[in-house]
Amino acid sequence: MEDLPKQALDYLKFLAELMEVPIAIVSLGASRDQTIIVEDPIHGPKRALLHATETATLGA
């Protein structure tokens, strides 16, 4: 996720906050290797994009 442009990451954070749900998967294209799994929607979060700013603030 850190490789995305700042504007794209800001937009994803905006959407997550607007919908009040974490973003689990981001697709950048049609092939599977163009998919970023932010958190596993079945087995639980690795990190939640919605709470990324809280984590950064806490120094985690």
Side-chain angles (χ1 to χ4, degrees):
M1 285 291 284
E2 293 78 26
D3 293 338
L4 289 176
K6 181 182 178 333
Q7 294 87 351
L9 192 54
D10 288 346
Y11 183 65
L12 292 173
K13 288 179 184 178
F14 166 76
L15 290 175
E17 290 172 4
L18 178 69
M19 296 183 294
E20 297 181 357
V21 295
I23 296 203
I25 299 172
V26 178
S27 180
L28 303 173
S31 74
R32 290 183 184 205
D33 65 341
Q34 293 176 307
T35 300
I36 300 170
I37 298 176
V38 178
E39 67 179 50
D40 187 331
I42 308 268
H43 298 104
K46 295 179 189 171
R47 64 181 175 160
L49 185 59
L50 179 61
H51 303 294
T53 54
E54 292 174 17
T55 303
T57 302
L58 296 175

